[in-house]
Amino acid sequence: MSDRQYLANAIRALSMDAVQKAKSGHPGAPMGMADIAEVLWRDYLKHNPNNPDWADRDRFVLSNGHGSMLIYSLLHLTGYDLSIDDLKQFRQLDSKTPGHPEYGYTPGIETTTGPLGQGIANAVGMALAEKVLAAQFNRENYNIIDHHTYTFLGDGCLMEGISHEVCSLAGTLGLGKLIAFYDDNGISIDGEVEGWFTDNTAKRFESYGWQVIEAVDGHDAQAITQAIEEARSETEKPTLIICKTVIGFGSPNKQGSESCHGAPLGDDEIAATRKQLNWSHDAFEIPADVYQQWSAKDKGAAVESSWNKRWVAYEQEHPELAKELKRRLNGELPENFSTTVFDYAQKLQNAPEAIATRKASLNVLNEMGPKLPELLGGSADLAGSNLTLWEGAKGVTADDASGNYVYYGVREFGMSAIMNGVTLHGGFKAYGATFLMFMEYARNAVRMAALMKQPSIFVYTHDSIGLGEDGPTHQPVEQLANLRQTPNLQCWRPCDPVETAVAWGAAIQSSKTPSALVFSRQGMQQQERDEEQVASIARGGYILKDCEGQPEIIFIATGSEVDLAVEAYEQLSKEGRKARVVSMPSTNVFDIQSAEYKESVLPANVTRRVAIEAGITDFWLKYVGLNGEVIGMTTFGESAPAGDLYKHFGITAESAVAAAKRLLDA
């Protein structure tokens, strides 16, 4: 047994011991990929355990996240703040070693992985961010941004459709510093994959424009080294290294089979594995010489120190660039940005314009874009409909990555997960757009942004039956409720240009919460407001129209239906009834306001309430109560002009008035 395999066996031992102690987990992948990890992490990975957030570190993503003990073992052995006691708490409550890698729980974890395929998608986003940032800030003799993104992935990642979306785009964009290791062990949970996965993976990736290195013995350190050298020497294409491995390597009775994929080996098999690997140490025992050879602390400190010296020289030679890069890497917005947003909103209020909120969104981008060089936008082949291609937008290409706009193509899921990778990398405010209906294709990536507390900005247009003739396949009904009920997600559906500006401002200023900005295809009237009302938009819900004294009835509406609520209010007011209109562009933001503020907007003793929104009605019961009424959708839409559809489904001012009168007369 070579010294290298002995060091790799430390990963195998820790992985099988932790899974056994937890009585659950996946020992097979860590044991099978240990030799690859040993070469990559000890010889090539540029990182500093003393500073996991160092800006120019290489990124490592374990896309097959079920093999989490692999990365936990690596982090522990190389010197990150992850103790042997932490490994013993694998999969336990409040531990730093959850069942799948979770961003924010463990130092050195770059992204949350678990849903297969999203790790490689995040890695593509990180590699994209590196390439764009380097193109924007590097100068002759100063490659201040210069790092690789490495990812491990398995059969499951490659079977997931998102892998096609993102890997195809990675090839097109020439992400030459992206290197993926495919753990080709032929086994998944159900057994040998040849029964359901017979793709020619090498040809597939070659067709994407990747360099492919085939048939690498994943247990031969020399072969792995040669493959990595070849991968790093190719700078114009991403590289896929196909590593032939044995799942559960070292387990004499279970290696090479599904029995070691997702279950502990068992005490007897672990004892046999120790003997097979010539690993004589007790559970969770790592000899001092192994720790010494694995430690990356001194090497990491030296490589970061070298970079810091280059940074000082860069700062002296290019002070303005250095200042801007530092601001962006720190996630800081330009000075007084919040004031800029409010001033712009007030300016719009003073110059009313009846337009679709998607057009208002474009106007915001044209206003804010020049002030926010960190914006990295895009659309899933719908720029002309989403209106995300603002005046200063410049496409990112393989040959010129200095732009600020990504043509994602028809890749809603891939786009959204790539955005998360860009955001995790740092240096950008990433936004990407599609129709609200097609959020469904991307749903899990949106959820992952919320789970990871990453402020990706998801732009959705064509927000309702108001898109009209394309019909129910394109008309969202239940999607708004879905987004609003996602923890740690702010969903905005503004009613006019002013609310649109505030929504964008909130999304850009968010640091730990993703945003969904939902815009209309159809035009809307701009509402009248005073300065206090403009300021109150940022609270998510506010009084738009009111009466003297306490109202008898409250209308609550969002987006294009605010117009209808105002019409209903005006009719009732003419009839001498006391009514109020509450515009609620973001229910999520309103819900986190103080109890006093919420009471001032929706007094508890005013129980007669009507909500109006061209979305699923049940969502609004939390605001109107069981005795209130909701004007909205209970079915899917139809194909017809928008005006006809609103009448057909009874989403009209007349319906709102009738509902109010039923409540008032009850």
Side-chain angles (χ1 to χ4, degrees), residues 622-638:
K622 65 183 283 190
Y623 298 104
V624 304
L626 294 177
N627 296 321
E629 292 211 26
V630 183
I631 309 297
M633 298 292 293
T634 58
T635 68
F636 296 120
E638 295 286 351

Side-chain angles (χ1 to χ4, degrees), residues 424-608:
L424 285 158
H425 179 279
F428 295 98
K429 286 283 181 180
Y431 71 88
T434 185
F435 288 181
L436 177 57
M437 186 63 247
F438 303 131
M439 174 276 290
E440 296 286 0
Y441 281 126
R443 182 70 185 92
N444 199 252
V446 178
R447 184 179 189 269
M448 293 296 284
L451 186 66
M452 293 190 287
K453 301 181 176 65
Q454 293 302 297
S456 301
I457 303 173
F458 303 102
V459 177
Y460 300 123
T461 67
H462 297 60
D463 65 352
S464 67
I465 58 172
L467 75 87
E469 292 87 343
D470 280 338
T473 62
H474 284 53
Q475 293 166 2
V477 171
E478 71 277 24
Q479 284 65 38
L480 279 167
N482 189 320
L483 289 166
R484 288 167 176 156
Q485 291 175 334
T486 302
N488 195 48
L489 175 71
Q490 293 185 357
C491 179
W492 291 84
R493 187 177 183 240
C495 74
D496 65 8
V498 183
E499 287 190 355
T500 299
V502 174
W504 262 110
I508 291 167
Q509 292 175 87
S510 177
S511 60
K512 294 185 178 180
T513 303
S515 300
L517 305 182
V518 181
F519 301 127
S520 73
R521 178 192 185 213
Q522 69 274 24
M524 303 182 202
Q525 294 299 313
Q526 180 163 306
Q527 302 300 324
E528 295 179 358
R529 301 177 187 84
D530 59 27
E531 191 170 313
E532 184 180 346
Q533 287 174 306
V534 173
S536 295
I537 296 171
R539 293 176 175 263
Y542 63 101
I543 300 169
L544 180 65
K545 299 288 183 182
D546 210 3
C547 59
E548 292 290 331
Q550 182 168 284
E552 301 173 90
I553 187 90
I554 298 177
F555 295 104
I556 310 169
T558 78
S560 53
E561 289 75 67
V562 170
D563 284 349
L564 304 180
V566 171
E567 286 183 44
Y569 161 86
E570 289 173 347
Q571 185 173 330
L572 285 179
S573 297
K574 287 178 183 176
E575 295 175 11
R577 308 309 298 254
K578 291 185 174 182
R580 172 179 291 181
V581 175
V582 172
S583 178
M584 199 174 288
S586 179
T587 62
N588 312 96
V589 175
F590 179 76
D591 287 348
I592 62 174
Q593 301 303 308
S594 67
E596 292 77 13
Y597 179 77
K598 288 188 286 188
E599 173 66 18
S600 73
V601 176
L602 296 175
N605 61 354
V606 183
T607 59
R608 297 182 175 92

Side-chain angles (χ1 to χ4, degrees), residues 225-261:
T225 298
Q226 185 177 337
I228 295 174
E229 288 289 337
E230 189 176 345
R232 287 168 58 93
S233 66
E234 172 57 73
T235 60
E236 304 298 319
K237 299 177 179 179
T239 297
L240 179 71
I241 302 174
I242 302 177
C243 300
K244 300 297 291 187
T245 64
V246 177
I247 191 171
F249 182 92
S251 170
N253 300 301
K254 293 188 176 184
Q255 69 175 23
S257 73
E258 67 272 18
S259 62
C260 64
H261 187 291

Side-chain angles (χ1 to χ4, degrees), residues 22 86 88-99 105:
D86 290 323
K88 292 178 180 178
Q89 290 300 303
F90 179 54
R91 289 182 161 236
Q92 305 309 300
L93 185 64
D94 294 330
S95 78
K96 293 165 83 172
T97 49
Y105 285 60

